[in-house]
Amino acid sequence: MMIPTALRLIDDPAASDPAVGVDEVTIQGNAFQPPVIQVAPGTEVTWVFDDGDTEHNVVGDGWQSDVQASGTYSRTFDEPGSYPYTCTLHIGMNGRVEVVNR
C-alpha cells in the first residue's frame, strides 16, 4: 500500500517505547497518553476520555469503544502480543498495548 507523503511525515506515536506497568491511558489533546503501554497478561486497561467536548473512540482488531467525549472504556488483555489501536476520528491518533509475560 502506498502511503501518501503527508502521512509519512507524521510521527506514529504507537512506534514509541512503552510505559511499563501502566494500565490507564488518558485521551487528551487528540492523543493517547502514554501512546504505548506494556502490561502483564490478564491486565485490564482503561482509557479515560478527557479531551473537553472532542469525541474519540478506541478501535483495535476485533474490539472498540463507543464514540464518546467523556467517561472511560476498559478491556482486559489476556494473551501476550502486540495490540495496536487508533481513534478512527483523528488521523495519526494511534496507540499500542504490549502484553508480555514478566
Side-chain angles (χ1 to χ4, degrees):
M1 177 173 115
M2 178 69 93
I3 298 174
T5 302
L7 292 180
R8 283 186 292 190
L9 297 176
I10 298 172
D11 286 331
D12 184 1
S16 62
D17 291 331
V20 179
V22 174
D23 63 4
E24 186 173 284
V25 177
T26 300
I27 301 170
Q28 195 170 56
N30 281 347
F32 296 109
Q33 296 298 328
V36 182
I37 63 172
Q38 183 183 86
V39 299
T43 300
E44 181 180 67
V45 175
T46 300
W47 286 265
V48 178
F49 293 76
D50 187 20
D51 204 7
D53 293 333
T54 304
E55 291 186 328
H56 297 286
N57 62 9
V58 180
V59 179
D61 185 18
W63 52 277
Q64 68 181 40
S65 73
D66 292 332
V67 172
Q68 57 197 80
S70 63
T72 62
Y73 168 72
S74 296
R75 181 182 191 284
T76 300
F77 292 87
D78 291 320
E79 297 296 322
S82 182
Y83 298 88
Y85 60 88
T86 190
C87 172
T88 61
L89 306 176
H90 300 99
I91 292 173
M93 193 172 162
N94 304 311
R96 190 175 81 243
V97 176
E98 291 290 324
V99 182
V100 297
N101 291 314
R102 293 190 183 144

